[in-house]
Amino acid sequence: MSNYLEFQFKIEPIEPGSEILIAELGYAGFESFVENEDGVTAYIQSEEYKEGVLEDIQILNSDEFEISFTSKEIEQVNWNSEWEKNFNPIIVADKCSVRAPFHEKPNTEYDIVIEPKMSFGTGHHATTHMMLQHILNNEWEGRSVLDMGCGTGVLAILAEMKGATTLDAIDIDNWCYLNTLENVERNNCKNISVYEGTAELLEGKSYDVVIANINRNILLEDIPTYSECLSKGGKLFLSGFYTEDVPVIEEACSNNGLKFENKLVEDNWTAVSFIKE
């Protein structure tokens, strides 16, 4: 089970300092951010953190901002109690609910129950919320689907509820792998296979749809693999990056035979879709 490093940054002035810092930390491999009245709390997997990575964060060396930080290691087991205290149900497009087992069941067409054991993939973050919207807005009946970087498995679960018949959910993190297994069973899904690993697992695989909500750098590295896995006319849904990153994402997709279809934007985060030509 992976541990995380938590960095608490105090920023003056907080705007636009927080937005700039989050963008730069995202490029450096940080996965999750919580904004507060003093600044930003950022998280990165311990094994992904390299000494000296913060030296390349330009805003930390800027004369326009005063930024200080502290860091500590956090065991993932702590996420459970924290998110049970703060986890609220969400409704997406009046059609899909994402809730914990201890919440009352709402009157929605699709009801997903997620045990909130970690901070990623509960539907609350803009990227997951937009990917749920993409799934609601598209046809999934009989489709084969890859959910790459599945987190809690919420996207694969909704895809199966909408009719996908063969689904692979993959995450590099053991905690995500185990949590997805639990949530797949909790939502009575029958067609989702869960794997722990990277894009190397995709060799020889073929899908009608690929979903990847990760981060900009990993997406850019793996887009060629996603394209190779997609059948002709298949769709690729990507999120985990900012609106200013869309041109470089589009270029990478275009270079790999993928045509831009549309995008959603929320809080400067973007979720885009492409079609395999």
Side-chain angles (χ1 to χ4, degrees):
M1 183 181 299
S2 301
N3 288 347
Y4 276 77
L5 294 176
E6 175 189 271
F7 287 78
Q8 293 187 347
F9 294 91
K10 290 187 176 181
I11 308 168
E12 293 184 5
I14 195 167
E15 293 298 341
S18 293
E19 183 177 342
I20 297 171
L21 180 60
I22 289 173
E24 291 197 53
L25 292 174
Y27 295 150
F30 283 75
E31 294 183 3
S32 184
F33 308 95
V34 178
E35 297 184 69
N36 51 61
E37 60 183 14
D38 295 322
V40 173
T41 303
Y43 298 92
I44 186 172
Q45 288 189 38
S46 300
E47 58 265 34
E48 295 297 320
Y49 180 77
K50 305 294 187 297
E51 289 295 330
V53 68
L54 294 182
E55 295 176 5
D56 296 326
I57 306 299
Q58 297 182 12
I59 191 174
L60 296 181
N61 302 310
S62 172
D63 295 332
E64 299 179 27
F65 301 92
E66 289 187 16
I67 302 177
S68 61
F69 67 89
T70 58
S71 65
K72 63 181 179 180
E73 189 169 31
I74 296 186
E75 294 185 6
Q76 285 200 20
V77 68
N78 293 335
W79 291 122
N80 190 32
S81 60
E82 290 303 311
W83 278 85
E84 282 197 5
K85 289 187 293 186
N86 299 292
F87 184 79
N88 295 312
I90 65 166
I91 305 292
V92 181
D94 294 324
K95 294 181 179 180
C96 174
S97 56
V98 182
R99 63 182 177 91
F102 46 82
H103 292 135
E104 183 178 348
K105 182 178 179 180
N107 184 24
T108 55
E109 185 176 358
Y110 306 103
D111 178 42
I112 302 175
V113 180
I114 297 295
E115 184 71 39
K117 290 190 173 181
M118 57 182 300
S119 61
F120 317 116
T122 59
H124 290 74
H125 193 275
T127 57
T128 311
H129 192 271
M130 288 185 293
M131 292 294 262
L132 290 168
Q133 291 181 68
H134 271 310
I135 294 174
L136 289 171
N137 293 337
N138 282 269
E139 176 60 45
W140 299 84
E141 194 70 36
R143 301 291 198 273
S144 58
V145 178
L146 167 67
D147 180 2
M148 195 71 196
C150 57
T152 61
V154 62
L155 301 180
I157 290 167
L158 180 58
E160 175 169 330
M161 288 181 174
K162 287 211 65 186
T165 52
T166 306
L167 305 98
D168 289 340
I170 300 175
D171 205 292
I172 193 173
D173 187 80
N174 178 255
W175 187 266
C176 296
Y177 164 73
L178 295 174
N179 194 218
T180 297
L181 283 173
E182 293 175 2
N183 290 324
V184 164
E185 182 178 0
R186 182 173 287 108
N187 289 274
N188 299 312
C189 294
K190 308 300 182 186
N191 304 321
I192 301 175
S193 300
V194 186
Y195 303 95
E196 180 180 350
T198 66
E200 293 179 356
L201 295 176
L202 302 180
E203 184 175 354
K205 294 278 192 175
S206 179
Y207 303 95
D208 299 317
V209 184
V210 173
I211 306 167
N213 181 19
I214 310 179
N215 68 52
R216 172 187 181 272
N217 293 342
I218 294 177
L219 291 177
L220 289 173
E221 182 178 343
D222 290 346
I223 281 172
T225 303
Y226 300 154
S227 178
E228 188 174 342
C229 288
L230 268 177
S231 56
K232 187 179 175 103
K235 288 192 176 185
L236 172 65
F237 296 92
L238 302 176
S239 194
F241 49 89
Y242 294 101
T243 53
E244 52 265 34
D245 297 319
V246 172
V248 69
I249 295 290
E250 278 195 57
E251 181 180 8
C253 287
S254 178
N255 291 340
N256 286 276
L258 297 160
K259 181 181 179 181
F260 176 82
E261 184 183 35
N262 60 37
K263 68 178 179 180
L264 299 172
V265 178
E266 184 177 328
D267 297 333
N268 201 41
W269 295 94
T270 305
V272 294
S273 64
F274 297 84
I275 298 177
K276 178 71 174 290
E277 295 184 300

